[in-house]
Amino acid sequence: MAGFRNGRGRDNRPPQQQPQQAPYGYNAAPPPYPQQQWPPQAPQGAPQRAPQGYGEPEYFGDPYPQQHPGTANNPGHTQAFSIHDDPYGDAAAYQAGAAPVVPTGPRLPWKALLSGIVLRPAPTFLQMRDHPVWGPALVVTFLYGLLAIFGFDKARDEAINATLSTAIPYVLMTGAGFVVAGLILGAVTHTLARQLGGDGSWQPTVGLSMLIMSITDAPRLIFAVFLGGENGLVQVLGWATWLAAGALFTLMVSRSHDLPWPKALGASAIQLIALLSLIKLGTL
């Protein structure tokens, strides 16, 4: 503190010896070194810059750089868009595998559903892709299983020759077994469709696959009940209905999971092979 009281650290020269400071805004006395030209002149060949006022900060670089397309989105660069431009592309463009924005349609009653699978398969599958069909699927598959036992020659003879108390549980168990098999095969088809990029729900896929399995085999089963499984007409109907089932499975998976038909057919392959080996080849 003593140093500050004695004035140490300050300029103690008499007032008359202190240099006069120029008012703010005026240039001071010329410095002892040679005065340079202001603003400095750029070398020949260098890009010219606009002169700046004295006392203003100097900004290095081109004040109006040319924007290149590759640097529009780099840090420090901006890209202008008009009001109607979408920098991320067309937002309404279709994307494969995307879920539908709006429901595809109201739920069809069971009569329209069953007839639509046969007469109008494409719009029916598209309209029912978001609606479970457990009621029609379980009932139709169970009834199909009750009659399917009579399409096999050996099983039909055993059921006819057995007593009533033995035949009824046997037939009921066969119907329940077809329902369980339909559920398992439909779940496998749905899982494969999702693995291949599908976006459909499992309930409509499983229910519709059970209906396809039962409805497509109905013509063969009707003739097999009366003519037997070894009949030539029954065998021809068996192969024809199997091909029809393959077409309907492919169409259903394609509409329900928004997949191209090769992937839809691949997702249905295991179910088709199982139906051929368990039902069709069993009668052939």
Side-chain angles (χ1 to χ4, degrees), residues 75-161:
H77 297 274
T78 58
Q79 184 175 2
F81 299 97
S82 64
I83 298 178
H84 301 287
D85 288 343
D86 186 3
Y88 303 101
D90 187 4
Y94 173 79
Q95 297 180 359
V101 179
V102 296
T104 53
R107 182 194 302 270
L108 293 174
W110 67 272
K111 291 183 180 181
L113 174 62
L114 298 181
S115 62
I117 292 177
V118 179
L119 302 177
R120 304 175 305 277
T124 299
F125 293 145
L126 183 61
Q127 184 171 350
M128 295 300 293
R129 62 166 289 172
D130 299 322
H131 302 288
V133 291
W134 289 123
L138 295 176
V139 172
V140 172
T141 305
F142 182 74
L143 294 177
Y144 165 74
L146 295 180
L147 297 176
I149 190 175
F150 298 99
F152 301 93
D153 293 340
K154 183 178 179 180
R156 179 181 57 185
D157 295 338
E158 292 178 356
I160 292 176
N161 297 327

Side-chain angles (χ1 to χ4, degrees), residues 180-190 206 209 213 270-271 274-275 278:
V180 174
L183 291 172
I184 295 175
L185 293 176
V188 171
T189 299
H190 169 74
V206 175
S209 67
M213 178 188 71
I270 294 181
Q271 189 166 9
L275 294 179
L278 296 177

Side-chain angles (χ1 to χ4, degrees), residues 173-264:
M173 289 178 60
T174 304
F178 270 84
V179 171
V180 174
L183 291 172
I184 295 175
L185 293 176
V188 171
T189 299
H190 169 74
T191 303
L192 291 177
R194 294 301 294 264
Q195 292 294 328
L196 294 175
D199 63 345
S201 302
W202 73 275
Q203 298 184 56
T205 303
V206 175
L208 291 174
S209 67
M210 295 172 66
L211 289 175
I212 294 173
M213 178 188 71
S214 304
I215 293 175
T216 54
D217 196 49
R220 182 204 65 84
L221 183 59
I222 293 174
F223 286 92
V225 169
F226 299 99
L227 301 178
E230 300 297 332
N231 184 272
L233 178 60
V234 175
Q235 295 180 10
V236 172
L237 287 175
W239 285 104
T241 54
W242 182 76
L243 293 176
L248 289 180
F249 275 124
T250 303
L251 186 60
M252 183 271 293
V253 175
S254 176
R255 294 297 186 271
S256 298
H257 286 267
D258 195 15
L259 290 174
W261 73 266
K263 290 186 177 182

